[in-house]
Amino acid sequence: ILRYAEDQNGHAMKTKLVFKYTYTNDYQLKRKVRFVVCGYSQIPELDYGETYAPTTMSTVTNMISLFCAHKDYHMATFDVEAAFLEGRADRQLFARIPKCLDKDGTRVEIVGNWYGLKQGPRIWNDQLNTILLKIGFERCPVHPCLYARRRNNVHILIGVHVDDGLMGCNKKDAFIAFQDEFCQYVTAAKVSDTVLKFTGTTMTVNREEHYVRLDHAVYIKQRFKDFTKASPRLRQSL
């Protein structure tokens, strides 16, 4: 959320447009265009304070996968669309519209959270934690990205990584119920029971044989082209 600033001469952060190709958790090509703040233009203590936000560890992904394979739980992933836009700015912030969108470079006040802010991940994580606690989840004191809820004989595990989540549940229809409940607090979120990828890790779920295989084959294949630029001697040593 942006608001026109009455004073057009004060301090303001730089902004730009970012174009990016990425993949969804079921490996569908996703094109993103984001209007972001240039974090390097922020002034410490004026534009931001604490910036820390937890990110999930491979331990959490392994734990959920192992538990679901052992208990024969259903698995799913969820994604919150434009998650960082859900929060509110933790202080008064100003930025200038890039001249590719506004030739005058208008100074605006940032009312909500915004992509690119150094404190943006912390603001979103605090809000996500508040939402999950409100709908009955408990946060693991050891791994802050791991949540669990047991209600009416329905047990749900969630591993959170920024705006993505890996889920395990003993009842498949509970995923849709969770999505409906969660979407009461965010603009849009999608749950998919096709689990192919989480945090860059390729996942193969086989409930019949009770295993979940994790590997980085796709990631390695995408990055392998970087090694072809090395000298023949270096490639041979690799």
Side-chain angles (χ1 to χ4, degrees), residues 204-237:
T204 303
V205 180
N206 189 321
R207 294 189 64 213
E208 294 180 356
E209 299 184 22
H210 300 282
Y211 74 80
V212 178
R213 186 176 67 223
L214 309 178
D215 67 71
H216 290 88
V218 175
Y219 175 82
I220 293 172
K221 185 176 180 180
Q222 290 176 337
R223 296 295 180 179
F224 185 77
K225 60 182 180 181
D226 295 337
F227 291 98
T228 62
K229 300 176 183 179
S231 65
R233 181 176 298 179
L234 177 59
R235 289 203 303 271
Q236 185 176 6
S237 65

Side-chain angles (χ1 to χ4, degrees), residues 97-183:
I97 304 297
K99 292 189 177 181
C100 62
L101 297 178
D102 177 12
K103 64 180 181 179
D104 297 324
T106 303
R107 184 174 185 252
V108 294
E109 181 181 358
I110 301 174
V111 179
N113 195 16
W114 210 1
Y115 283 98
L117 288 175
K118 290 181 179 293
Q119 68 269 41
R122 179 187 58 78
I123 292 174
W124 160 244
N125 185 264
D126 288 347
Q127 182 177 0
L128 175 62
N129 179 61
T130 299
I131 293 172
L132 292 176
L133 294 180
K134 187 177 295 185
I135 61 178
F137 282 86
E138 295 184 24
R139 192 178 199 177
C140 177
V142 179
H143 295 290
C145 293
L146 179 62
Y147 293 83
R149 184 180 74 181
R150 188 182 295 274
R151 188 170 65 187
N152 299 328
N153 295 321
V154 177
H155 186 207
I156 301 180
L157 291 172
I158 297 180
V160 176
H161 181 75
V162 191
D163 55 355
D164 292 321
L166 178 65
M167 307 177 67
C169 185
N170 59 332
K171 294 186 179 181
K172 189 175 182 178
D173 55 1
F175 291 136
I176 300 302
F178 167 83
Q179 177 177 290
D180 295 339
E181 190 175 12
F182 188 76
C183 283

